[in-house]
């Protein structure tokens, strides 16, 4: 039997697929990334607390050492002497990934090509695409999941340039809570790049998307309340991230699932960029060693804590602002940020559990839904 066309076929060239491809580009494996988009545009930003280095360190647009959370009790300011909240723009990320793939003799990126079906053919896989059939020894599927989560993070944001200096460029407005417009926990998020430029985003943790009309009216009101003078819209972004324990979409036997469908988004926060990098490191290392990758990022303790927290949020969304404010007020510096980023340190987990009111969480733990 002839050798397959490539060692690894990556279905989907988004954050997860390109993150893996960049790592494999430096190996001896032949790789093909199949992506239906015809071109990449700067249409989003990924933000996170930096906990480890990755190939996209030089794509960071800005970093901050302080962030705020605000509810009816007032505002909480947190700072860190060494942890940084960073944002990576998709435009810089895509350019960096494409450059590294182009520099590899054994890696390629097929834009404008969609994969329609896969089938096992002996010891290899056959993939039907718009450009014809392709065979591969291994398939990594990073395409978005088809199923809808029972709870999610929904958002609409605009990066704007303002006439007046209305932003504090040194502090991220992480979660400033607002009256709930639907069935969830609603807040405003502002990433300030300068005194007159920022990403202003309205976000809802909810069982369903409030809808474009609700978000647009809300976002307009938040921007107007800044009294910014004339504004220029630089770009708009919108999205939905799963916040559900066990959301990973099952893959056919022998196919590796990565990205949102592989459980990359942290269930209790929706953070995915750093976890995509961890997954990519793990999958790349095992593929280079000729093994099959385990992409599960969360152990039983993390899954239990996320499930209980999300059950409380879903059952009593009106408690959400106070719960988040309590965490940011009471958990020691850096421990909460590490926990939200996926830390498995015992001290971080204990600090988070000790800061929350016990009754609603004991009830959720005792009566899972």
């Amino acid at each position: 039997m002839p050798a397959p066309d490539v060692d690894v076929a990556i279905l989907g060239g988004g954050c997860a697929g390109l993150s893996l491809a960049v790592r494999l580009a430096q190996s001896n494996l032949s790789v093909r990334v199949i992506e239906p988009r015809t071109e990449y545009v700067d249409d989003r930003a990924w933000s996170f607390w930096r906990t480890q280095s990755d190939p996209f360190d030089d794509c960071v647009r800005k970093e901050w050492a302080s962030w705020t959370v605000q509810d009816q009790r007032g505002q909480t300011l947190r700072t860190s002497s060494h942890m940084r909240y960073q944002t990576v723009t998709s435009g810089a990320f895509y350019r960096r990934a494409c450059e590294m793939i182009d520099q590899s003799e054994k890696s390629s990126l097929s834009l404008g090509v969609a994969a329609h079906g896969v089938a096992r053919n002996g010891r290899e896989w056959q993939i039907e695409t718009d450009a014809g059939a392709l065979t591969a020894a291994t398939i990594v599927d990073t395409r978005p999941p088809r199923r809808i989560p029972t709870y999610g993070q929904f958002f609409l944001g605009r990066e704007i340039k303002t006439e007046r200096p209305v932003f504090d460029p040194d502090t991220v407005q992480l979660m400033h809570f607002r009256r709930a417009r639907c069935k969830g926990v609603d807040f405003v998020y502002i990433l300030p790049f300068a005194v007159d430029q920022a990403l202003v985003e309205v976000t809802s943790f909810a069982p369903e998307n409030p809808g474009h009309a609700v978000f647009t009216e809300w976002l307009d009101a938040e921007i107007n309340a800044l009294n910014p003078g004339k504004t220029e819209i630089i770009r708009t972004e919108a999205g939905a991230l799963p916040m559900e324990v066990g959301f990973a979409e099952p893959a056919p036997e022998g196919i590796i699932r990565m990205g949102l469908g592989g459980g990359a988004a942290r269930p209790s926060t929706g953070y995915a960029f750093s976890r995509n990098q961890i997954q990519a490191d793990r999958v790349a290392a095992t593929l280079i060693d000729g093994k099959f990758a385990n992409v599960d990022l969360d152990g039983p303790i993390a899954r239990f804590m996320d499930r209980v927290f999300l059950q409380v949020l879903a059952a009593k969304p009106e408690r959400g602002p106070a719960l988040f404010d309590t965490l940011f007020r009471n958990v020691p510096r850096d421990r909460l940020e590490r926990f939200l980023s996926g830390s498995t340190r015992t001290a971080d987990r204990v600090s988070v559990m000790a800061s929350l009111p016990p009754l609603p969480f004991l009830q959720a733990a005792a009566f899972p839904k």
Side-chain angles (χ1 to χ4, degrees):
M1 178 179 288
D5 297 322
V6 293
D7 295 317
V8 182
I10 301 174
L11 308 186
C15 181
L18 291 179
S19 295
L20 176 61
V22 160
R23 287 153 169 91
L24 294 179
Q26 302 174 50
S27 73
N28 289 321
L29 296 174
S30 56
V31 179
R32 177 82 58 84
V33 181
I34 301 170
E35 168 56 44
R37 279 177 285 190
T38 57
E39 64 177 350
Y40 289 115
V41 296
D42 188 12
D43 59 352
R44 68 195 67 193
W46 298 289
S47 300
F48 50 92
W49 283 283
R50 172 70 67 183
T51 57
Q52 64 182 49
S53 181
D54 62 56
F56 304 99
D57 288 352
D58 57 356
C59 298
V60 172
R61 178 177 178 182
K62 188 172 179 179
E63 64 179 24
W64 297 264
S66 61
W67 36 91
T68 60
V69 171
Q70 180 177 293
D71 72 349
Q72 294 179 342
R73 293 180 291 181
Q75 182 171 288
T76 300
L77 171 68
R78 286 177 71 93
T79 62
S80 177
S81 59
H82 66 281
M83 286 193 74
R84 296 294 180 263
Y85 191 75
Q86 298 183 337
T87 189
V88 168
T89 59
S90 61
F93 172 89
Y94 293 139
R95 285 191 297 273
R96 177 65 173 148
C98 290
E99 287 170 1
M100 295 182 72
I101 292 171
D102 287 343
Q103 291 168 5
S104 170
E105 295 181 356
K106 291 192 171 185
S107 297
S108 61
L109 170 61
S110 296
L111 288 174
V113 178
H116 300 294
V118 298
R120 193 76 170 176
N121 183 13
R123 300 182 65 181
E124 64 185 34
W125 292 93
Q126 180 160 316
I127 307 158
E128 299 298 330
T129 78
D130 294 339
L134 172 75
T135 57
T138 301
I139 291 178
V140 181
D141 191 351
T142 72
R143 294 172 295 181
R146 290 179 292 273
R147 74 184 188 90
I148 299 173
T150 58
Y151 199 81
Q153 176 187 153
F154 308 96
F155 58 89
L156 174 66
R158 295 183 199 134
E159 183 175 341
I160 59 173
K161 180 85 170 175
T162 64
E163 180 182 13
R164 300 190 180 100
V166 296
F167 302 112
D168 175 0
D170 298 322
T171 303
V172 173
Q173 184 175 302
L174 194 67
M175 303 176 87
H176 283 211
F177 293 98
R178 299 292 190 258
R179 172 187 57 82
R181 282 159 175 76
C182 293
K183 303 176 182 178
V185 180
D186 292 357
F187 60 91
V188 181
Y189 170 74
I190 296 180
L191 277 180
F193 301 113
V195 295
D196 60 352
Q197 188 168 333
L199 173 66
V200 181
E201 197 166 273
V202 291
T203 303
S204 183
F205 293 170
E208 59 187 25
N209 195 328
H212 186 74
V214 171
F215 272 146
T216 299
E217 181 182 2
W218 178 15
L219 182 56
D220 287 342
E222 293 291 344
I223 292 175
N224 289 336
L226 295 169
N227 192 23
K230 294 180 180 179
T231 62
E232 174 193 353
I233 299 175
I234 298 172
R235 65 179 184 87
T236 299
E237 66 175 52
L241 295 169
M243 297 177 69
E244 178 185 331
V245 175
F247 182 72
E249 193 171 60
E253 185 178 358
I255 292 179
I256 300 169
R257 198 74 168 93
M258 275 184 63
L260 296 182
R266 176 73 189 264
S268 58
T269 64
Y271 282 117
F273 183 86
S274 294
R275 287 163 61 93
N276 270 324
Q277 304 313 307
I278 295 170
Q279 256 190 359
D281 282 335
R282 185 180 298 177
V283 173
T286 54
L287 289 178
I288 291 169
D289 288 344
K291 301 175 182 177
F292 191 82
N294 174 19
V295 300
D296 191 1
L297 296 173
D298 300 311
I301 295 177
R303 288 195 294 269
F304 172 78
M305 292 181 70
D306 281 353
R307 180 191 66 76
V308 170
F309 188 76
L310 289 171
Q311 185 173 322
V312 172
L313 276 190
K316 298 288 184 180
E318 68 276 7
R319 290 185 175 179
L323 291 175
F324 280 106
D325 182 73
T326 297
L327 284 172
F328 280 90
R329 283 179 185 272
N330 297 337
V331 179
R333 186 166 67 173
D334 295 342
R335 289 188 181 180
L336 175 61
E337 288 78 6
R338 284 198 302 264
F339 175 80
L340 295 175
S341 301
S343 169
T344 59
R345 298 183 189 183
T346 301
D348 296 341
R349 288 172 168 171
V350 170
S351 294
V352 168
M353 290 188 289
S355 71
L356 291 167
L359 183 58
F361 292 93
L362 288 174
Q363 291 174 335
F367 303 101
K369 293 182 181 179

